[in-house]
């Protein structure tokens, strides 16, 4: 497997559509102002059948999220 990690602005990915087999986001997308746009950009650059690997913080106080509620 050849992995080329790149850090980019998730709301304006600088790649053509259907470029990647896998896109990852590790504890980043929940901090984006426009989460829907970030997710749409991931969908745009993924090849059909591609995989989006995502992790995120489950508690974001600015979104009225609390733990354990």
């Amino acid at each position: 497997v050849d992995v080329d990690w790149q850090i980019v602005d998730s709301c304006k990915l600088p790649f053509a559509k259907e470029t990647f087999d896998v896109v990852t986001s590790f504890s980043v997308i929940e901090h984006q102002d426009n989460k829907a746009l970030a997710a749409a950009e991931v969908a745009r650059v993924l090849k059909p059948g591609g995989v989006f690997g995502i992790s995120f913080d489950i508690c974001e106080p600015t979104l009225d999220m609390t733990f354990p509620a």
Side-chain angles (χ1 to χ4, degrees), residues 15-30:
F15 308 107
K17 69 179 186 172
E18 299 181 0
T19 300
F20 299 102
D21 296 307
V22 177
V23 174
T24 61
S25 174
F26 296 113
S27 295
V28 173
I29 202 166
E30 72 271 21

Side-chain angles (χ1 to χ4, degrees):
V1 175
D2 184 21
V3 177
D4 181 16
W5 295 99
Q6 297 186 32
I7 298 172
V8 296
D9 177 350
S10 64
C11 289
K12 292 186 283 184
L13 297 177
F15 308 107
K17 69 179 186 172
E18 299 181 0
T19 300
F20 299 102
D21 296 307
V22 177
V23 174
T24 61
S25 174
F26 296 113
S27 295
V28 173
I29 202 166
E30 72 271 21
H31 301 288
Q32 299 301 310
D33 291 333
N34 191 335
K35 292 166 186 60
L37 178 57
E41 278 293 278
V42 169
R44 182 183 68 77
V45 300
L46 272 175
K47 292 178 182 176
V51 174
F52 180 31
I54 183 172
S55 70
F56 52 89
D57 299 331
I58 60 170
C59 295
E60 189 170 347
T62 59
L63 297 176
D64 297 323
M65 296 177 183
T66 59
F67 184 80

